[in-house]
Amino acid sequence: MNLSFFDQFSSPSFLGIPLILISMTFPALLLPSLDNRWITNRLSTLQLWFINLITKQLMMPLDKKGHKWALILTSLMVFLLLINLLGLLPYTFTPTTQLSMNLALAFPLWLATLLTGLRNQPSASLGHLLPEGTPTPLIPALILIETTSLLIRPLALGVRLTANLTAGHLLIQLISTATTALFSTMPVVSLLTFLVLFLLTILEVAVAMIQAYVFVLLLSLYLQENI
């Protein structure tokens, strides 16, 4: 059976039941659970240190009013980070390569930041649609352009995450297929291709971490504009 390179992005199913929900909830099993012990093990200490580091980085551009969102943003960051990294393992599925899932994450959070600004400071939020000192003939066009750029933000968040992860997975599959095909005929070239594959895998680990951080960082910047 000939498989397409894009078959890896289709949601696996078992007895007709999509398994994407299991792959989305599995990262929660890797997080530390509540414990009454005073002294935790090294793994829990490392995880808590990493979560505190993420929280500090995400809260730096925000005012004190935005610190109420610390739990939501940090949880989203850890969720995306674990899903992206687990998706690089062999014979796994990456839910964040699905545009529908990324839009389902981006749109409600973007809408929440927008409604927060309209509730707390409606004049300042609407003032972003029209820069100060705009000539009168350009006012309708600029309002239309700024409104379009505002509404396209959640789409840009979802497409950016989907495109970067999809491109990386496709490159890994293409180079790994070439490595396997060349092994019997040109082993030296196959070895060089394997070296490229190894370096690309390291790059994809970095991309998976960076894209999760960029997704949440942009949401925090959108929040900062509205508080």
Side-chain angles (χ1 to χ4, degrees):
M1 182 177 61
N2 295 325
L3 296 178
S4 171
F5 284 119
F6 291 92
D7 287 341
Q8 60 175 319
F9 303 115
S10 60
S11 177
S13 59
F14 180 72
L15 298 178
I17 302 174
L19 301 181
I20 186 172
L21 294 178
I22 298 178
S23 58
M24 289 174 59
T25 55
F26 180 75
L29 301 177
L30 303 177
L31 298 177
S33 57
L34 295 178
D35 198 345
N36 294 326
R37 294 181 302 175
W38 286 5
I39 300 177
T40 57
N41 55 22
R42 292 183 177 89
L43 180 60
S44 299
T45 304
L46 181 62
Q47 289 176 335
L48 292 176
W49 171 83
F50 186 66
I51 291 175
N52 289 333
L53 179 63
I54 291 175
T55 306
K56 290 180 181 179
Q57 292 295 325
L58 293 177
M59 293 299 107
M60 282 177 58
L62 294 178
D63 296 336
K64 290 185 178 180
K65 295 180 180 179
H67 291 179
K68 300 176 182 178
W69 290 62
L71 180 60
I72 297 177
L73 296 178
T74 304
S75 301
L76 179 62
M77 172 71 184
V78 175
F79 176 71
L80 291 177
L81 185 61
L82 290 177
I83 282 185
N84 292 348
L85 292 178
L86 290 175
L88 293 174
L89 297 176
Y91 303 104
T92 56
F93 173 70
T94 312
T96 44
T97 56
Q98 307 295 312
L99 182 60
S100 57
M101 175 185 167
N102 295 334
L103 289 179
L105 291 174
F107 183 78
L109 293 172
W110 166 82
L111 185 61
T113 61
L114 183 62
L115 294 179
T116 299
L118 292 176
R119 184 189 65 180
N120 295 336
Q121 45 180 13
S123 300
S125 297
L126 295 176
H128 292 156
L129 301 178
L130 184 63
E132 186 177 358
T134 304
T136 304
L138 297 179
I139 289 179
L142 278 179
I143 291 179
L144 182 61
I145 293 173
E146 291 296 329
T147 303
T148 304
S149 65
L150 178 65
L151 296 178
I152 209 173
R153 282 180 174 180
L155 180 62
L157 283 175
V159 170
R160 181 186 296 108
L161 183 59
T162 304
N164 282 281
L165 295 180
T166 302
H169 282 65
L170 283 176
L171 280 175
I172 289 178
Q173 185 170 0
L174 286 171
I175 297 178
S176 61
T177 303
T179 303
T180 306
L182 295 173
F183 182 74
S184 58
T185 56
M186 292 181 287
V188 178
V189 178
S190 177
L191 183 61
L192 294 177
T193 311
F194 177 77
L195 180 60
V196 174
L197 178 62
F198 177 74
L199 296 176
L200 180 62
T201 304
I202 296 177
L203 177 63
E204 280 305 308
V205 172
V207 168
M209 299 173 65
I210 291 172
Q211 289 303 316
Y213 177 70
V214 168
F215 187 92
V216 183
L217 180 63
L218 289 176
L219 280 175
S220 66
L221 294 179
Y222 297 157
L223 177 63
Q224 178 61 28
E225 292 181 359
N226 293 283
I227 57 176

